[in-house]
Amino acid sequence: MNRKTLVLPAVVGLLAPVLVACGGAEGVGGGGDSIVVGTTDELIADKDAPAPLDPAHAYDTGSWNVLRQTLQTLMHAPRGGGQPVPDAAKTCAFTDKASESYRCELRTDLSFTDGSPITAEDVKFSIERVLKINDDNGAAALLANIETIDVKGDHEVVFHLATPDATFPYKLSTPIAGIVSKKKYEGDKLRAGFGVDGSGPYTMTTQVKDDAVTKVTFKKNGSYKGDVKLHNSKVELRVYEDPEAMAKALDKGEIDIATRELGPEQVAQMKEKPKENITLTELQGLSIFYLAFNTDHPAVKDKAVRQAMAALVDRGQIAGQVYSATAEPLYSLIPASVSAHKNAFYNRYGEPSRAQAKQILRKAGIKTPVKLSLHYSEDRYSGATAKEFGLLKTQLNASKLFDVTVEGSDWATFRTAHKRGDYPVFGLGWVPDYPDPENYIAPFLEKDNFLNSPYVSTEARKLIPQSRRQADRTAAEPAFARLQEIVANDVPVLPLRQDKQYVAARAGVTGVERLLNGSSDLQLWELGRGDS
């Protein structure tokens, strides 16, 4: 099947250097031969998330980007995007036309970092472990369609699926399908802490303070056998509290690269006041930000309330005033750079309209103003979320149809509360597990979705498995068009913006344009030293 059509601009011309800017100290990071990368993606262990780097539990960009460097999967996303290619596997393919049986042959002489050989039994153990633990924070749902796994000898594994799924190779390329050792991981219990043992391109050690990772050191795994070619032998990933602190570290020469996530203010400063020796590179991202609704909560149980919000929210104002050139308005769960995208919310509601929102509420017999609280994480995204939610409050309250309050909390508190159903409305970002339109729909609408949403659309739950039958993914676009219409009508989520990605790098580092792919997968192996 040809997946390149799914991510049109995200694959072709993905990266465009914006400017040369930002000088500072000579020599970088004090890391010797290390390439030092800054990030704001947190890695925290607490009572609600004691195992942030266990593949059965991890399901956030920061954790997955550590696991992608250290755990090997049968398939992985290739350089430049497109259809997954074998990594731990030598070959993988469907053995039937219905996309229900998927066979992989492993490379020979694979081993974990402790020297133990990797066999097909280890692959089976790793996948079945995820399904058995079925952690409510994790991504086990990606593999839930597996009915049985057959092992033939040391190098052949066959996955039998309950229903056809042409996206299955993508799912095997995600960290949830990472291959782990029985010696280091129990079959029915999460591995607490920050240790990772696999067979990926790197080994790793962590520096931890107050149950949070401050630095991850990746070293080249000499026993790695796979598709990835390493251009370095050591990378340090340093975690910063916010984009401002990370940008200052870049200016001071403490790090070589600033990546996920530079905030809009930092990007604007780098564009407006160029300095010497740093290049800011713009990458087209596939991440989105949206409002999610607890559709059982009395405040938003009537979909007319959610529809009225959809009619009032001014996405253009949010993108322009809060995020400047770093985000674009989004009118669907599927971003505009994916070919199945449809402007479903704009088609239904048009430009922001108080009159339309008032009519929706009056027709449903909703008393106004509707009292409502919006919730967001203070420390999770680009640092501009508080300003964004302040603007949302202003937009909704200016209509006199809503009486909105806004509340921010730290990520650990926020995550627990929204999963428990405490919040009527809350903001979240979504980075796709793989660049197929199905991954922007199924995680929100299927049973046991990652939002723990009580919303149910019987039609959507029929269309999603139907869409997976299409080996030619363009043939699934009519199903996705209808699914986007369902979301716009029922508003279980309200898309707000699609974000761009930026990487700022000091002179002398190569491979920066390949550091992040469209799905925000960190590819540290692409970095090297040399002429810019």
Side-chain angles (χ1 to χ4, degrees):
M1 70 194 78
N2 182 3
R3 299 300 183 106
K4 291 185 180 180
T5 56
L6 296 175
V7 285
L8 296 173
V11 172
V12 182
L14 182 66
L15 306 163
V18 176
L19 54 89
V20 175
C22 302
E26 296 297 329
V28 175
D33 293 333
S34 299
I35 296 172
V36 186
V37 178
T39 182
T40 60
D41 285 329
E42 295 179 325
L43 293 171
I44 299 173
D46 57 31
K47 61 182 179 62
D48 295 310
L53 292 178
D54 189 314
H57 171 86
Y59 199 24
D60 63 87
T61 305
S63 297
W64 271 26
N65 275 335
V66 170
L67 295 179
R68 289 185 192 278
Q69 321 306 312
T70 51
L71 291 184
Q72 200 170 10
T73 47
L74 290 170
M75 307 288 285
H76 86 115
R79 202 185 221 198
Q83 188 173 329
V85 297
D87 187 26
K90 183 165 63 176
T91 60
C92 283
F94 282 106
T95 61
D96 64 334
K97 293 183 178 180
S99 300
E100 289 183 308
S101 181
Y102 196 72
R103 175 189 175 276
C104 291
E105 182 183 352
L106 271 63
R107 296 177 188 267
T108 56
D109 300 325
L110 289 174
S111 64
F112 294 110
T113 52
D114 65 0
S116 303
I118 296 175
T119 68
E121 283 289 350
D122 293 301
V123 175
K124 181 178 179 180
F125 165 78
S126 301
I127 300 295
E128 290 182 344
R129 175 180 181 269
V130 166
L131 295 172
K132 185 174 184 179
I133 293 174
N134 195 25
D135 187 76
D136 62 2
N137 182 79
L142 290 176
L143 304 177
N145 193 34
I146 297 174
E147 196 166 60
T148 59
I149 304 174
D150 288 341
V151 168
K152 299 179 181 180
D154 287 341
H155 297 97
E156 185 177 344
V157 58
V158 181
F159 300 93
H160 301 285
L161 308 182
T163 59
D165 185 3
T167 70
F168 188 65
Y170 280 97
K171 294 169 182 176
L172 286 184
S173 73
T174 65
I176 192 66
I179 305 169
V180 299
S181 168
K182 295 178 183 178
K183 294 181 180 179
K184 304 293 178 66
Y185 294 81
E186 296 183 48
D188 58 358
K189 182 180 178 182
L190 292 174
R191 176 177 172 176
F194 298 105
V196 180
D197 290 276
S199 58
Y202 296 97
T203 62
M204 60 159 280
T205 55
T206 56
Q207 183 174 297
V208 180
K209 181 179 179 181
D210 298 328
D211 296 322
V213 170
T214 57
K215 182 173 74 173
V216 185
T217 301
F218 297 99
K219 293 184 179 180
K220 181 179 180 179
N221 176 11
S223 62
Y224 167 74
K225 290 183 174 64
D227 183 67
V228 167
K229 180 181 178 182
L230 278 74
H231 297 273
N232 60 69
S233 59
K234 185 179 179 182
V235 178
E236 289 183 11
L237 187 67
R238 298 185 185 178
V239 182
Y240 290 89
E241 183 178 356
D242 53 45
E244 183 179 8
M246 181 170 61
K248 286 180 179 178
L250 183 70
D251 271 345
K252 292 178 181 178
E254 295 172 356
I255 59 177
D256 294 294
I257 295 171
T259 180
R260 289 187 44 87
E261 289 183 284
L262 287 167
E265 291 183 2
Q266 285 69 47
V267 172
Q269 288 171 6
M270 290 182 183
K271 288 183 176 182
E272 292 169 7
K273 297 182 179 180
K275 297 178 184 177
E276 213 175 341
N277 296 330
I278 285 183
T279 299
L280 180 68
T281 302
E282 178 185 320
L283 302 82
Q284 182 165 16
L286 296 176
S287 63
I288 66 173
F289 193 86
Y290 58 93
L291 295 179
F293 295 89
N294 175 1
T295 54
D296 274 352
H297 195 286
V300 294
K301 189 169 186 176
D302 194 314
K303 73 177 180 181
V305 174
R306 309 192 301 268
Q307 289 174 332
M309 291 177 67
L312 283 171
V313 167
D314 189 338
R315 296 166 178 81
Q317 187 181 45
I318 291 170
Q321 291 188 12
V322 180
Y323 293 97
S324 186
T326 66
E328 298 174 348
L330 182 63
Y331 297 92
S332 171
L333 277 176
I334 299 175
S337 49
V338 175
S339 63
H341 167 81
K342 182 176 183 179
N343 279 326
F345 276 82
Y346 190 88
N347 293 344
R348 182 172 181 85
Y349 302 101
E351 295 293 335
S353 169
R354 181 187 183 278
Q356 183 182 181
K358 183 178 180 180
Q359 183 181 18
I360 291 170
L361 294 171
R362 178 182 292 172
K363 186 176 180 179
I366 304 294
K367 183 179 178 181
T368 58
V370 178
K371 291 190 175 182
L372 195 61
S373 60
L374 309 184
H375 298 260
Y376 68 95
S377 170
E378 297 172 322
D379 55 355
R380 191 61 177 179
Y381 301 107
S382 67
T385 319
K387 185 177 179 182
E388 178 176 17
F389 273 67
L391 185 53
L392 281 168
K393 174 184 175 180
T394 299
Q395 291 178 356
L396 294 170
N397 287 350
S399 71
K400 307 297 184 183
L401 301 173
F402 286 87
D403 180 6
V404 168
T405 58
V406 168
E407 182 179 341
S409 55
D410 64 87
W411 173 250
T413 302
F414 174 87
R415 175 186 58 199
T416 301
H418 91 67
K419 283 183 171 292
R420 198 167 51 214
D422 294 352
Y423 301 152
V425 190
F426 51 96
L428 281 175
W430 178 254
V431 178
D433 306 319
Y434 46 89
D436 188 286
E438 184 254 10
N439 195 237
Y440 289 96
I441 297 291
F444 301 92
L445 303 187
E446 281 195 309
K447 184 181 179 182
D448 300 323
N449 60 77
F450 92 102
L451 289 174
N452 289 342
S453 172
Y455 168 77
V456 175
S457 166
T458 302
E459 182 183 3
R461 291 188 179 179
K462 289 180 180 178
L463 284 171
I464 291 169
Q466 289 176 17
S467 74
R468 293 177 179 137
R469 294 176 178 270
Q470 305 295 335
D472 176 2
R473 302 304 290 152
T474 58
E477 290 184 9
F480 290 122
R482 177 57 189 150
L483 285 161
Q484 290 170 89
E485 291 171 354
I486 292 170
V487 173
N489 180 69
D490 294 351
V491 201
V493 293
L494 178 57
L496 294 178
R497 55 182 164 84
Q498 178 177 348
D499 297 329
K500 299 177 183 178
Q501 298 183 116
Y502 289 87
V503 176
R506 299 185 66 82
V509 181
T510 60
V512 174
E513 69 279 6
R514 296 182 294 274
L515 175 60
L516 290 169
N517 64 19
S519 298
S520 294
D521 298 342
L522 201 59
Q523 302 173 138
L524 294 177
W525 51 82
E526 295 286 1
L527 300 176
R529 296 280 190 193
D531 294 332
S532 294

